[in-house]
Amino acid sequence: MAEQLEKDAADRLVSDFTPPTAAVRSLRRLADGKPAKRDADGERLTPGRRIGRILMYIALVIFAIGLLTPFVWMVLSSFKSSNEVFSVPIKWLPETWVWQNYIDIWTQSNMLVWIRNTLFLAVVVTFLQVLTGSFAAYGFARMKFRGRDVLFLLYVGTIAVPWQSYMIPQFIMLSNFKVSNTLWSIILLQAFGAFGVFLMKQFYETIPEELSEAARLDGLSEYAIWRKIMLPLSVPALASLTLLTFVATWNDYLGPLIYLRNPDLWTIQLGLKGFVSNLFDTNYALLFAGLTISVVPIAVIFLLGQKYFVEGIATSGLKG
């Protein structure tokens, strides 16, 4: 018994003077309750890495401030008087908060009709683009036919063609179809989009092919596979496409400017443009109030769907 006690004491004495291994040091840190700091990738945060991350956060904050400054100035200016908007030096906060601007923009303009037209176009165009884009993307991603890849490249290549290059022939064609100066002209223009097909195809290719093969063995048709399997698994990509299409349609100005000549068909962008009769006879406080109203729906939709938007964009880029 005495020999065993002497041996244990000798082992402890040796361990006190022996440099600990990495595993031993890690166990001691865990025992002390102070684990090493690591980043999101699981790598240890060294001083250089920590400084780099701090600098990156500072740059992102500066970039965010630069993006938000015009928006904040617009919102604050919507509560100013007309003469106070462009005062020199610039006054960020209004001396007197003019809440009447938001009442006047409704009473002195056709804001309700503009919002109704814009909302109708945004909802219908978004639904059609998501429907046609997801359906066509399934054909390119899962169906095998001759010339599929060439046809897909040609279709996606239309993204690089500027709309201004075929704007006039398109206007003549829609005029011959007697849909010019109607909301249907905007719907027909934007019901199909190559970007939506590209986005959904990239996401479909991340879904295992074994799911489709198992469904075919169970007797499901290709349409049923798309509707019952692919669409439920593609919620992030569908949300991303919905958000992008809705925002683009809501903010569209050139299309309605060309095709919608009747004031009762104007969108909110065209209606607010009517406030700017000239640079010296415009109530910019009312204009900024209308612009703020037009931005609110987009901001709310983006805040609600930003999680799916980021996930859909990130996942769709896994395979090229």
Side-chain angles (χ1 to χ4, degrees):
M1 185 65 178
E3 294 179 356
Q4 182 65 32
L5 292 176
E6 291 178 359
K7 183 178 180 181
D8 293 339
D11 291 339
R12 287 195 299 270
L13 182 63
V14 171
S15 63
D16 291 338
F17 290 96
T18 303
T21 62
V24 174
R25 289 195 298 268
S26 299
L27 290 175
R28 289 180 178 177
R29 282 195 296 268
L30 290 175
D32 295 337
K34 297 179 181 180
K37 293 184 178 180
R38 299 180 182 273
D39 58 8
D41 298 331
E43 298 182 2
R44 185 176 179 179
L45 282 177
T46 61
R49 187 184 295 272
R50 189 178 293 110
I51 293 175
R53 176 159 296 185
I54 293 174
L55 293 177
M56 181 186 68
Y57 287 153
I58 293 175
L60 291 176
V61 170
I62 295 174
F63 183 70
I65 292 174
L67 288 178
L68 292 176
T69 297
F71 175 75
V72 173
W73 184 79
M74 179 190 71
V75 174
L76 293 177
S77 297
S78 67
F79 294 100
K80 299 177 181 178
S81 62
S82 179
N83 296 328
E84 193 180 1
V85 173
F86 295 108
S87 61
V88 179
I90 297 177
K91 296 180 180 178
W92 285 89
L93 295 177
E95 295 181 356
T96 303
W97 294 78
V98 185
W99 299 91
Q100 187 67 25
N101 289 336
Y102 285 88
I103 299 177
D104 293 341
I105 193 64
W106 285 97
T107 57
Q108 298 181 17
S109 67
N110 211 5
M111 178 67 73
L112 184 60
V113 175
W114 301 341
I115 293 179
R116 183 190 63 193
N117 294 334
T118 308
L119 184 62
F120 173 77
L121 289 175
V123 171
V124 173
V125 169
T126 300
F127 173 77
L128 291 177
Q129 278 218 23
V130 172
L131 177 65
T132 58
S134 60
F135 192 71
Y138 177 79
F140 284 119
R142 289 292 188 258
M143 303 296 293
K144 296 181 180 180
F145 54 90
R146 180 174 298 179
R148 180 189 64 174
D149 296 337
V150 175
L151 181 60
F152 177 72
L153 290 176
L154 292 175
Y155 188 57
V156 173
T158 59
I159 299 176
V161 180
W163 181 50
Q164 291 78 5
S165 62
Y166 56 90
M167 181 172 58
I168 296 177
Q170 197 173 58
F171 177 80
I172 296 174
M173 181 181 66
L174 292 178
S175 298
N176 293 334
F177 289 159
K178 307 300 180 181
V179 294
S180 180
N181 199 26
T182 65
L183 296 179
W184 286 107
S185 59
I186 305 300
I187 294 175
L188 292 176
L189 281 177
Q190 304 181 13
F192 309 94
F195 175 76
V197 177
F198 173 76
L199 179 68
M200 296 303 302
K201 178 180 179 295
Q202 297 301 103
F203 191 90
Y204 285 159
E205 290 180 347
T206 64
I207 299 176
E209 176 67 21
E210 289 77 8
L211 294 176
S212 300
E213 294 177 355
R216 294 188 186 98
L217 292 177
D218 291 338
L220 289 182
S221 63
E222 296 297 332
Y223 173 77
I225 295 174
W226 166 74
R227 182 172 58 88
K228 296 182 179 180
I229 296 179
M230 305 300 287
L231 287 184
L233 295 176
S234 306
V235 172
L238 291 173
S240 301
L241 180 58
T242 299
L243 181 61
L244 292 173
T245 306
F246 190 92
V247 171
T249 307
W250 184 277
N251 293 328
D252 186 22
Y253 173 74
L254 187 57
L257 177 65
I258 295 174
Y259 290 94
L260 304 180
R261 297 182 294 276
N262 187 350
D264 293 334
L265 299 177
W266 281 0
T267 61
I268 193 171
Q269 312 303 332
L270 286 181
L272 293 176
K273 175 60 175 64
F275 267 78
V276 187
S277 55
N278 59 70
L279 296 178
F280 304 100
D281 188 21
T282 300
N283 190 336
Y284 282 97
L286 289 183
L287 178 62
F288 289 148
L291 291 173
T292 302
I293 293 174
S294 69
V295 171
V296 169
I298 299 299
V300 172
I301 291 175
F302 183 80
L303 290 176
L304 294 177
Q306 62 176 339
K307 174 183 177 181
Y308 296 102
F309 173 74
V310 175
E311 182 179 353
I313 293 296
T315 309
S316 299
L318 290 178
K319 297 184 69 175

